[in-house]
């Protein structure tokens, strides 16, 4: 083995391990990795190089802050904020005392305190810092006041009652936002298509109704014209009948006048035309002196 590498490799080189690969005829132990033209150590956490954190202090930090986890390359990653840092005391201690970590840790404690609302209200898998209600399917802020207000709502209480009474209610499962959005767009498209179909059907019904109304109006106008024509004909017929009746009455009057005149001539009596008494015709026509 070529000892031109870092002296810290020497203790590891003494281990009898099967070779992993060769580089320029040199066998490289399994705990080393070939990287370009050099050899990179893959188990850096086992080394104690200058400026690093010793193992006891690192174990203490990991025990005090479970959110910190060691990565394969020896660095630390915070599961609360996603922050990655080198394993140095001068870096780790200021971070865990900083505002960002304190706020994230407080939120984590609040989430842990809200476990009493499970299984109805659980921590969201897809929205960090939010809770998911498996009764209503809505997201709730990770605050006790918001959760209490949501859990006292009518919709939530009705869903819990349905679950308790066995009326067919069931707990919802949280789905990714992309899946929900795709389903929402699909449903929106179906609703738009249904609305377009209903609009088309309504337009056709409106057109049919308008045509029917126009036909009704046309029939009404025709009927009114016919009634008016019939009325005019009836009026003319009534006038003709009246004229005939008047002529008949006049004829009767004349006949009565002639008959009265004839009776007056035959029988005698008071004549309105002459304004005097008239003797009978046989008296007037007689040649006798007495008469």
């Amino acid at each position: 083995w070529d000892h031109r590498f870092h002296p810290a490799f020497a203790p590891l080189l003494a281990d009898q391990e099967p070779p992993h690969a060769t580089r320029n005829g040199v066998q490289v132990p399994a705990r080393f990795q070939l990287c370009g033209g050099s050899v990179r150590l893959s188990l850096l956490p086992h080394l104690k190089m200058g400026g690093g954190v010793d193992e006891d202090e690192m174990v203490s930090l990991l025990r005090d802050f479970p959110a910190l986890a060691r990565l394969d390359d020896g660095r630390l990653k915070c599961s609360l904020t996603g922050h990655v840092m080198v394993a140095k005391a001068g870096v780790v201690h200021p971070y865990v005392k900083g505002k960002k970590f304190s706020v994230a840790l407080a939120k984590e404690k609040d989430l842990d305190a809200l476990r009493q609302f499970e299984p109805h209200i659980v921590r969201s898998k897809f929205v960090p810092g939010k809770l998911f209600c498996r009764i209503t399917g809505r997201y709730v802020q990770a605050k006790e006041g918001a959760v209490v207000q949501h859990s006292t709502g009518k919709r939530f209480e009705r869903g819990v009652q349905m679950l308790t009474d066995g009326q067919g209610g069931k707990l919802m499962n949280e789905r990714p936002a992309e899946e929900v959005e795709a389903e929402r767009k699909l449903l929106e498209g179906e609703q738009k298509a249904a609305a377009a179909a209903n609009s088309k059907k309504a337009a056709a019904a409106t057109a049919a109704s308008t045509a029917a109304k126009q036909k009704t109006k046309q029939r009404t106008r025709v009927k009114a014209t016919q009634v008016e024509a019939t009325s005019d004909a009836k009026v003319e017929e009534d006038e003709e009948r009246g004229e005939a009746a008047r002529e008949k009455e006049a004829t009767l009057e004349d006949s009565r006048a002639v008959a009265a005149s004839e009776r007056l001539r035959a029988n005698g009596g008071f004549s309105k035309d002459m304004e005097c008494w008239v003797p009978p015709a046989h008296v007037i026509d007689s040649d006798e002196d007495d008469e």
Side-chain angles (χ1 to χ4, degrees):
W1 174 256
D2 191 347
H3 291 278
R4 293 175 298 174
F5 296 103
H6 196 281
F9 296 166
L12 298 176
L13 297 178
D15 298 338
Q16 298 298 324
E17 296 182 356
H20 176 71
T22 59
R23 182 73 175 179
N24 297 328
V26 179
Q27 293 182 348
V28 182
R31 67 178 64 190
F32 293 92
Q33 298 176 357
L34 294 178
C35 182
S38 62
V39 178
R40 183 182 64 182
L41 187 62
S42 63
L43 298 179
L44 288 178
H46 296 282
L47 299 179
K48 296 182 180 180
M49 297 182 180
V53 181
D54 59 21
E55 192 65 23
D56 294 337
E57 189 173 0
M58 184 57 61
V59 171
S60 178
L61 285 171
L62 295 178
R63 182 178 61 251
D64 295 339
F65 302 99
L68 300 178
R70 197 190 295 268
L71 300 177
D72 294 339
D73 58 2
R75 295 184 297 172
L76 299 180
K77 181 177 181 180
C78 178
S79 62
L80 300 180
T81 63
H83 180 69
V84 179
M85 71 198 88
V86 295
K88 293 183 179 180
V91 176
V92 178
H93 284 294
Y95 172 75
V96 296
K97 295 179 181 179
K99 181 179 180 180
K100 184 177 181 180
F101 181 78
S102 300
V103 172
L105 186 60
K107 289 184 178 180
E108 182 69 14
K109 291 181 179 179
D110 291 340
L111 289 174
D112 291 338
L114 295 175
R115 292 183 181 275
Q116 57 179 319
F117 295 97
E118 294 180 354
H120 300 150
I121 301 178
V122 298
R123 182 180 299 190
S124 174
K125 300 178 181 178
F126 307 103
V127 183
K130 290 281 188 177
L131 300 177
F132 178 74
C133 179
R134 301 184 66 188
I135 298 294
T136 63
R138 296 181 178 180
Y139 290 99
V140 186
Q141 292 184 353
K143 296 181 180 180
E144 186 175 0
V147 177
V148 171
Q149 182 179 2
H150 181 79
S151 61
T152 55
K154 293 183 179 180
R155 184 177 179 183
F156 182 87
E157 292 180 349
R158 184 166 58 250
V160 174
Q161 187 66 29
M162 291 177 63
L163 284 174
T164 305
D165 298 342
Q167 298 179 3
K170 61 181 181 178
L171 295 176
M172 300 181 183
N173 293 323
E174 185 182 7
R175 297 181 297 170
E178 297 78 6
E179 181 179 346
V180 176
E181 182 66 16
E183 183 177 351
R184 185 190 66 81
K185 289 183 179 181
L186 179 62
L187 180 61
E188 185 177 353
E190 293 177 354
Q191 290 177 350
K192 286 183 179 180
N198 292 336
S199 178
K200 186 176 181 180
K201 186 182 296 184
T206 302
S209 177
T210 303
K213 289 181 179 180
Q214 290 179 353
K215 289 183 179 180
T216 302
K217 289 182 179 179
Q218 185 176 1
R219 288 196 298 267
T220 302
R221 288 194 296 267
V222 172
K223 187 175 181 180
T225 303
Q226 293 176 352
V227 170
E228 184 177 358
T230 304
S231 178
D232 293 342
K234 187 175 182 181
V235 169
E236 292 179 359
E237 184 178 357
D238 292 343
E239 290 180 353
E240 291 178 357
R241 289 180 180 177
E243 184 68 22
R246 286 191 294 272
E247 291 179 357
K248 185 176 181 181
E249 185 67 21
T251 302
L252 291 176
E253 288 291 336
D254 293 342
S255 299
R256 286 194 290 269
V258 170
S261 176
E262 184 64 24
R263 286 195 299 275
L264 180 62
R265 187 189 68 82
N267 301 324
F270 185 80
S271 175
K272 294 181 179 180
D273 295 334
M274 300 176 62
E275 296 182 354
C276 63
W277 288 94
V278 178
H282 68 277
V283 174
I284 296 176
D285 293 339
S286 174
D287 292 334
E288 297 292 333
D289 292 338
D290 295 338
E291 294 180 347

